[in-house]
């Protein structure tokens, strides 16, 4: 992508602005590098004392195990047939036992005599003295006798008791995400409830007098794009959104923001807008009045550099505030930079593994800051999308991920780090 001189001059000017001290900030304040901001958010969440509860299996999906998942019994708890076929004893041919076969869930069958066979279903209990199971397609009946169509080995197609685990074995460690497969394993192991860490609770505060909740933009007013987007997005990050409120920009709005931040019962309060230093940007003064500790005050990333992370209360039991910029794509940048690593840590989940993909086409960079650019992922490349300005959602709406573009950009074919969007990567189970 070719950059114009005007593009470069604008980026240089923005870079200088981003390095100017904020009003009331300590001299020499600088935005945190993007990787350090994410690490700070993850550390902040991991330092909070985690809550735990016991929930029914149906309610545990998407939460994290708060204790080891130990086997409550042997799995399987008795020898079972791995196939539909014939249980046989000794060498063949075998005499077919009169009567019906053995079905799963039936009473324990009588042992087999040497040279005897009985039809058996998958999952059924193996009769005593069985030497093997022959699959139906590998056996041939002739009158009252059964013949094997291929050699039979001792123990074939029998799942012996304890093949998967013995009682007391560790099945999964604490911190494991409860997926559908984990639910199945827990049920097979005899669990009705699981001890888990509940989802972090999030309250969203959308700031601004210029926002409309319906209809077309008009008379300097714009549609509120953040309220419809943030709740579902944060839910897909594994959190429980307990409320979304809209607050004004005036003095009454500042007081309402202070009351909302200090009175919220959420683990995380997410605000939108008001994080810069404009005449109605109240977030910094409100956090100062609330006695909050600023952990991240600006990030060297485009879009979204005025984002912030603050803590209210002590490290182990405090609540957090993530301040997102008001522009939609800048708010997305803040979600992925600060909110996602914080929420994963609060939930007791591991951070996403980092990976890179070769980019298709040159991508220009900021002179000093990281850029997050919407991309479409193909089998081989990350394809940058247009409409990636701070106020635009058209690009990210079509994207699979955001590419992490370092300062000065990347050339076509270079690898870039990829931040998956939660719906494109499977997200959390909700």
């Amino acid at each position: 992508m070719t950059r114009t001189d005007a593009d470069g001059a604008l980026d240089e000017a923005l870079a200088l602005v981003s390095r100017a001290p904020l009003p009331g900030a300590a001299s020499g304040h600088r935005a945190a590098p993007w990787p350090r901001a994410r690490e700070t958010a993850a550390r902040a969440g991991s330092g909070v004392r985690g809550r735990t509860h016991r929930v029914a299996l149906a309610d545990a999906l998407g939460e994290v195990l708060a204790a080891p998942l130990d086997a409550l019994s042997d799995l399987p708890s008795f020898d079972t047939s791995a196939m539909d076929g014939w249980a046989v004893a000794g060498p063949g041919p075998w005499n077919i036992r009169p009567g019906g076969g053995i079905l799963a869930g039936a009473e324990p069958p009588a042992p087999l005599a040497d040279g005897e066979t009985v039809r058996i279903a998958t999952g059924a209990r193996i009769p005593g003295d069985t030497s093997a199971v022959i699959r139906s397609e590998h056996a041939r009946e002739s009158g009252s006798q059964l013949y094997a169509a291929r050699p039979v080995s001792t123990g074939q197609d029998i799942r012996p008791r304890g093949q998967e685990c013995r009682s007391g074995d560790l099945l999964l460690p604490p911190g494991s995400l409860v997926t559908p497969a984990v639910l199945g394993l827990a049920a097979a192991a005899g669990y009705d409830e699981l001890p888990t860490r509940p989802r972090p609770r999030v309250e969203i505060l959308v700031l601004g007098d210029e926002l409309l909740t319906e209809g077309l933009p008009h008379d300097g007013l714009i549609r509120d794009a953040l309220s419809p987007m943030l709740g579902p997005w944060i839910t897909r990050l594994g959190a429980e959104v307990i409320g979304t409120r809209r607050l004004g920009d005036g003095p009454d709005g500042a007081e309402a923001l202070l009351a909302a931040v200090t009175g919220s019962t959420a683990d995380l309060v997410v605000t939108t807008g008001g994080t810069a230093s404009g005449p109605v940007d109240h977030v910094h003064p409100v956090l100062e009045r609330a006695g909050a500790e600023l952990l991240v005050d600006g990030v060297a990333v485009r879009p979204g550099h005025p984002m912030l992370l603050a803590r209210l209360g002590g490290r182990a039991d405090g609540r957090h505030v993530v301040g997102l910029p008001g522009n939609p794509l800048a708010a997305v940048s803040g979600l992925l930079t600060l909110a996602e690593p914080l929420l994963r840590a609060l939930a007791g989940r591991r951070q996403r593994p980092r990976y890179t993909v070769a980019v298709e086409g040159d991508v220009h960079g900021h002179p000093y800051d990281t850029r997050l650019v919407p991309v479409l992922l193909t089998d081989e490349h990350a394809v940058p999308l247009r409409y990636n300005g701070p106020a635009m959602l058209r690009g990210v709406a079509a994207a699979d991920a955001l590419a992490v573009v370092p300062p000065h950009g990347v050339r076509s074919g270079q690898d870039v780090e990829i931040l998956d969007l939660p719906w494109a990567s499977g997200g959390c189970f909700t």
Side-chain angles (χ1 to χ4, degrees):
M1 183 181 295
T2 303
R3 302 185 63 208
T4 65
D5 292 340
D7 291 331
L10 176 61
D11 278 345
E12 291 283 357
L14 291 172
L16 292 173
V17 170
S18 75
R19 280 154 177 74
L22 294 174
S27 177
H29 162 80
R30 290 180 182 273
W34 183 80
R36 187 189 305 164
R38 283 175 59 83
E39 292 168 5
T40 299
R43 283 198 308 272
S46 61
V48 175
R49 187 182 298 108
R51 306 188 312 275
T52 62
H53 61 179
R54 295 190 66 86
V55 293
L57 293 187
D59 298 323
L61 187 65
E63 297 190 351
V64 168
L65 292 178
L69 187 71
D70 294 329
L72 302 180
S73 65
D74 296 345
L75 280 182
S77 56
F78 48 82
D79 294 348
T80 63
S81 177
M83 293 288 170
D84 292 334
W86 299 86
V88 299
W94 300 270
N95 296 318
I96 299 174
R97 177 187 286 179
I102 306 171
L103 301 177
E107 293 295 321
L112 289 176
D114 190 40
E116 189 178 28
T117 183
V118 65
R119 189 177 289 279
I120 193 167
T122 301
R125 187 189 296 263
I126 293 290
D129 299 324
T130 297
S131 54
V133 169
I134 304 174
R135 303 183 187 191
S136 297
E137 62 268 27
H138 298 160
R140 175 176 58 86
E141 294 180 66
S142 178
S144 62
Q145 289 198 305
L146 182 78
Y147 294 84
R150 58 181 60 187
V152 178
S153 58
T154 300
Q156 74 178 29
D157 288 326
I158 294 176
R159 290 191 65 209
R161 176 173 181 162
Q163 181 187 51
E164 186 168 3
C165 64
R166 290 290 184 181
S167 180
D169 284 354
L170 174 65
L171 301 178
L172 289 170
S176 299
L177 179 66
V178 179
T179 65
V182 171
L183 290 179
L185 175 62
Y191 284 86
D192 299 317
E193 295 180 330
L194 289 175
T196 60
R197 291 184 59 166
R199 300 171 187 270
R201 296 166 301 184
V202 178
E203 185 171 12
I204 301 168
L205 306 176
V206 178
L207 313 181
D209 290 329
E210 76 281 13
L211 303 177
L212 296 169
T213 58
E214 60 183 14
L216 294 174
H218 61 85
D219 301 327
L221 303 178
I222 61 174
R223 279 296 297 269
D224 173 14
L226 296 177
S227 295
M229 176 176 72
L230 292 181
W233 197 310
I234 290 170
T235 299
R236 291 301 296 265
L237 293 179
E240 176 191 357
V241 177
I242 64 173
T244 299
R245 287 193 279 164
R246 297 175 66 245
L247 304 177
D249 285 328
D252 289 345
E255 293 303 315
L257 177 61
L258 177 63
V261 166
T262 56
S264 177
T265 60
D267 302 297
L268 169 63
V269 175
V270 173
T271 67
T272 70
T275 55
S277 54
V280 292
D281 290 335
H282 300 307
V283 175
H284 280 90
V286 162
L287 291 177
E288 184 176 0
R289 291 173 61 190
E293 176 187 3
L294 280 174
L295 304 179
V296 175
D297 190 7
V299 179
V301 67
R302 303 288 165 157
H305 65 283
M307 67 182 74
L308 61 84
L309 169 64
R311 179 165 55 218
L312 293 164
R315 184 171 187 270
D317 56 1
R319 297 179 295 108
H320 290 85
V321 177
V322 166
L324 304 177
N327 277 324
L329 188 58
V332 169
S333 173
L335 277 179
L336 296 181
T337 300
L338 297 178
E340 180 175 12
L342 175 70
L343 287 171
R344 291 183 74 92
L346 287 174
R349 299 182 63 189
R350 295 182 293 273
Q351 297 300 314
R352 288 189 185 276
R354 298 174 63 180
Y355 75 99
T356 61
V357 174
V359 69
E360 183 179 277
D362 297 349
V363 185
H364 80 265
H366 188 272
Y368 307 107
D369 297 347
T370 299
R371 283 190 70 212
L372 300 183
V373 177
V375 293
L376 198 64
L377 299 179
T378 68
D379 289 342
E380 297 181 353
H381 296 100
V383 182
L385 297 172
R386 297 173 58 197
Y387 307 107
N388 53 34
M392 297 180 179
L393 287 174
R394 185 172 172 182
V396 74
D400 299 314
L402 297 186
V404 182
V405 179
H408 307 296
V410 292
R411 306 290 292 179
S412 183
Q414 283 187 271
D415 284 350
V416 290
E417 183 177 348
I418 295 296
L419 296 179
D420 287 319
L421 299 179
W423 48 89
S425 60
C428 286
F429 305 97
T430 56

